[in-house]
Amino acid sequence: MTTAITGRVSSTAECNGAQIRAHCRHLATVVTISGEIDAVNVDQIGEHIRRFVLSDNPVVLDLSAVTHFSSAGMALFCVLDEECRGAGVEWMIVTNPVVGMLLGESAEAPYPVTGSVHEALRYLADGINWRRQLVLPLVKKSA
């Protein structure tokens, strides 16, 4: 399985019942996984999504099209959290009822969770705007 992002969209990679596709967007790289995530393919998926963690580029892990999510899939979140912390980038999970059963309610989830890619990108944009508002007065004072 070799997939590299070419331009703005990558080809789809097959991982034993799961399909992975990455889109480079202005605010983040959106990695979409569809199909089944279980003990058979979780390590392969984890290795693949690690490739999309790039410095200064948030990651949105879109699991809205996942049809089966076993408890082994929770390892993906640990892998992504570790990689993103190491690179200093924000990340979010777009969940669905299948994934949400294991993660719990959004407010109680151990990782940043949202209901759609649109919400995730809006959250990231709001964070950028908030940081700009904090920095702007400092820039004006030093001028």
Side-chain angles (χ1 to χ4, degrees):
M1 172 188 65
T2 56
T3 302
I5 296 178
T6 54
R8 298 191 46 86
V9 178
S10 72
S11 60
T12 301
E14 177 68 35
C15 294
N16 294 322
Q19 298 75 42
I20 304 171
R21 186 175 184 103
H23 300 268
C24 289
R25 296 199 177 180
H26 175 68
L27 294 170
T29 298
V30 178
V31 180
T32 302
I33 302 177
S34 58
E36 300 180 359
I37 299 174
D38 54 26
V40 173
N41 62 9
V42 71
D43 291 335
Q44 187 179 19
I45 293 169
E47 286 300 314
H48 192 72
I49 63 174
R50 292 172 80 174
R51 299 175 190 175
F52 300 111
V53 177
L54 306 170
S55 179
D56 296 327
N57 195 25
V59 175
V60 175
L61 183 61
D62 179 9
L63 302 179
S64 60
V66 168
T67 57
H68 173 76
F69 188 80
S70 75
S71 58
M74 296 295 283
L76 285 179
F77 305 143
C78 295
V79 166
L80 191 55
D81 189 54
E82 185 176 299
E83 287 294 315
C84 288
R85 284 179 191 259
V89 300
E90 287 184 82
W91 70 285
M92 297 194 81
I93 302 166
V94 175
T95 189
N96 69 12
V98 172
V99 178
M101 287 178 16
L102 286 173
L103 267 176
E105 296 294 321
S106 295
E108 300 168 4
Y111 303 105
V113 175
T114 188
S116 71
V117 171
H118 178 75
E119 286 178 21
L121 295 175
R122 185 179 51 197
Y123 173 83
L124 293 169
D126 289 348
I128 291 168
N129 289 334
W130 181 76
R131 287 187 292 275
R132 284 182 183 156
Q133 290 174 356
L134 288 177
V135 172
L136 190 57
L138 297 174
V139 172
K140 287 182 178 179
K141 286 182 182 178
S142 66

